[in-house]
Amino acid sequence: MLDRIKEVIDEVTTATVGSKEDLENFRLKYISRKGILNDLFEQFKTVANEQKRAVGQELNKLKNFTEQRFKDFTEDVENSSEDSANSSKLDLTLPVAPNFAGTVHPLTLTRQRVLEVFARMGFSHEDGPEVETDWYNFTALNFAENHPAREMQDTFFVEKKGVQKDDVLLRTHTSNVQVRLMERKKPPIRSIMIGRVYRNEAISARAHCQFHQIEGLYVDKNVSFKDLKDTLYHFAKEMFGKDTKIRLRPSYFPFTEPSAEIDVTCFICGGSGCNICKHSGWVEIAGSGMVDPNVLINSGIDPEEYTGFAFGMGVERITMLRYGINDLRLFFENDVRFLRQFEGA
């Protein structure tokens, strides 16, 4: 009988079940009332007493093993049936779920366009740190220690151990890159600086505590105010249209002298006057001027040999003018409804 039990164990071990019909055949053959297990237990009654202990142990092992195999086969068949049912529910006629492609941010679009225009005029692209020292952000740019222009910048100062108070700050303009560039490179210098700047201002539709600034610097022998005017005139035509005109208004900046605000003809009304230009026909886009001799000296350049001009403008302001956007906060809120409007830009 032990040999027969071993044969049945081998059969159960090698048995395979792939469907509900196979599962039922397995049950009928081995564990039903008329199955092999029931027959073996009936034969066990006739086993000699001295062999019952050994045979009984093997018979119980066979019973447990067979029932476990049946349980495993049942789970496999049920799982297979569920997968088939789920796959049958798939409606291949349904349209595919939309996969929306991302868009380039409007500020990035403007940044790329500005770099493209100035690259054709021979300007390189420079970058610098956003956490800066007082020297590069103010002092080297001709800001006196108690100069009121420092207060106009609403600066974020950074506390740092071992550093004098108010000496480390978040840059308020990208002019710090100009000083660093002039320190390490001899003229001629012709570069554009674009990056984030920070000022402690109340957030509103027209102001933010962070924004992006574009600055340009050209230093060489015999650079004149006419070079500045021609450069900005060409930029305005490339950026806003060939019919664009510019206007220079006298202004004041500590790091340039003489200095001027740059206006362009309103490209919404063509200069006739509208609510965008406040019915003046002009829109301010930048500040500019000839680099102050003190800035050149602080940067290690001889103002008797070299002159230069610099200008600066806000990326957000240009973008708002290009696309007719009336709220600065939209650039930082990541509202998909707003960003998708620039898919074809």
Side-chain angles (χ1 to χ4, degrees):
M1 188 171 182
L2 289 174
D3 292 338
R4 177 55 180 159
I5 292 174
K6 186 177 183 305
E7 290 177 3
V8 177
I9 290 177
D10 292 340
E11 290 179 11
V12 174
T13 302
T14 57
T16 57
V17 171
S19 64
K20 291 184 178 181
E21 184 179 355
D22 293 340
L23 182 65
E24 180 63 14
N25 290 336
F26 182 91
R27 186 188 70 82
L28 292 174
K29 181 177 181 180
Y30 294 104
I31 59 177
S32 67
R33 294 185 61 183
K34 295 181 179 182
I36 293 176
L37 280 180
N38 192 61
D39 289 343
L40 290 175
F41 275 100
E42 289 293 331
Q43 295 176 27
F44 178 70
K45 298 176 182 179
T46 63
V47 174
N49 291 335
E50 62 272 14
Q51 295 180 350
K52 279 192 174 182
R53 179 179 178 84
V55 175
Q57 290 178 347
E58 293 301 318
L59 192 56
N60 284 329
K61 288 181 182 179
L62 172 61
K63 178 177 179 295
N64 294 334
F65 176 65
T66 305
E67 290 178 347
Q68 183 61 46
R69 288 285 284 172
F70 179 74
K71 181 179 179 182
D72 294 340
F73 286 146
T74 302
E75 292 179 356
D76 292 342
V77 170
E78 289 178 352
N79 291 336
S80 177
S81 299
E82 289 180 3
D83 292 341
S84 299
N86 291 336
S87 62
S88 64
K89 294 178 181 178
L90 180 62
D91 187 353
L92 298 178
T93 64
L94 288 174
V96 67
N99 183 18
F100 294 107
T103 61
V104 180
H105 196 281
L107 295 181
T108 303
L109 290 170
T110 299
R111 180 182 185 274
Q112 292 172 343
R113 178 58 179 160
V114 169
L115 289 176
E116 178 186 351
V117 171
F118 280 106
R120 292 204 296 266
M121 289 190 281
F123 283 77
S124 62
H125 177 212
E126 296 290 332
D127 200 1
E130 295 181 12
V131 179
E132 192 54 279
T133 63
D134 178 275
W135 169 259
Y136 289 105
N137 196 83
F138 288 129
T139 305
L141 292 165
N142 206 36
F143 286 82
E145 184 175 352
N146 295 317
H147 199 289
R150 288 178 180 256
E151 300 298 326
M152 294 168 59
Q153 304 261 347
D154 295 324
T155 309
F156 285 106
F157 288 96
V158 180
E159 292 186 4
K160 187 176 180 181
K161 290 184 178 180
V163 178
Q164 183 180 351
K165 185 179 179 182
D166 296 346
D167 190 53
V168 179
L169 49 93
L170 299 182
R171 67 181 182 186
T172 58
H173 43 207
T174 54
S175 303
N176 65 314
V177 185
Q178 297 185 26
V179 179
R180 289 180 176 274
L181 177 60
M182 288 188 287
E183 279 186 344
R184 74 172 189 271
K185 184 179 179 181
K186 293 182 179 180
I189 297 171
R190 189 183 296 182
S191 293
I192 289 292
M193 302 82 181
I194 300 182
R196 281 187 300 267
V197 299
Y198 306 86
R199 297 184 186 179
N200 187 16
E201 297 184 3
I203 297 176
S204 67
R206 299 179 61 85
H208 208 284
C209 61
Q210 70 166 342
F211 55 98
H212 298 77
Q213 193 174 55
I214 304 166
E215 292 197 19
L217 175 69
Y218 180 30
V219 178
D220 202 352
K221 294 180 180 180
N222 302 318
V223 176
S224 67
F225 201 90
K226 180 181 183 302
D227 297 316
L228 167 63
K229 183 177 179 180
D230 289 344
T231 299
L232 292 174
Y233 181 48
H234 179 75
F235 166 75
K237 291 173 65 177
E238 289 290 313
M239 200 72 186
F240 304 113
K242 63 180 181 179
D243 296 327
T244 303
K245 298 179 181 179
I246 67 170
R247 179 179 71 175
L248 281 71
R249 292 180 288 108
S251 186
Y252 167 76
F253 304 107
F255 32 82
T256 54
E257 180 60 37
S259 304
E261 300 280 1
I262 307 299
D263 300 334
V264 297
T265 49
C266 180
F267 42 87
I268 301 298
C269 63
S272 60
C274 66
N275 61 336
I276 299 296
C277 61
K278 298 180 181 179
H279 301 282
S280 68
W282 297 93
V283 177
E284 179 186 332
I285 64 165
S288 64
M290 300 300 294
V291 178
D292 192 288
N294 289 334
V295 176
L296 295 176
I297 293 172
N298 291 335
S299 303
I301 295 176
D302 184 0
E304 297 296 328
E305 184 178 2
Y306 295 100
T307 56
F309 66 73
F311 57 86
M313 60 192 82
V315 180
E316 281 81 357
R317 180 167 182 77
I318 295 177
T319 306
M320 293 171 77
L321 293 173
R322 289 184 76 196
Y323 299 113
I325 300 169
N326 59 6
D327 194 329
L328 185 69
R329 293 168 292 191
L330 291 170
F331 294 125
F332 304 97
E333 293 176 349
N334 291 325
D335 190 326
V336 176
R337 296 168 300 177
F338 169 72
L339 297 177
R340 282 180 181 160
Q341 297 177 57
F342 302 92
E343 288 180 345

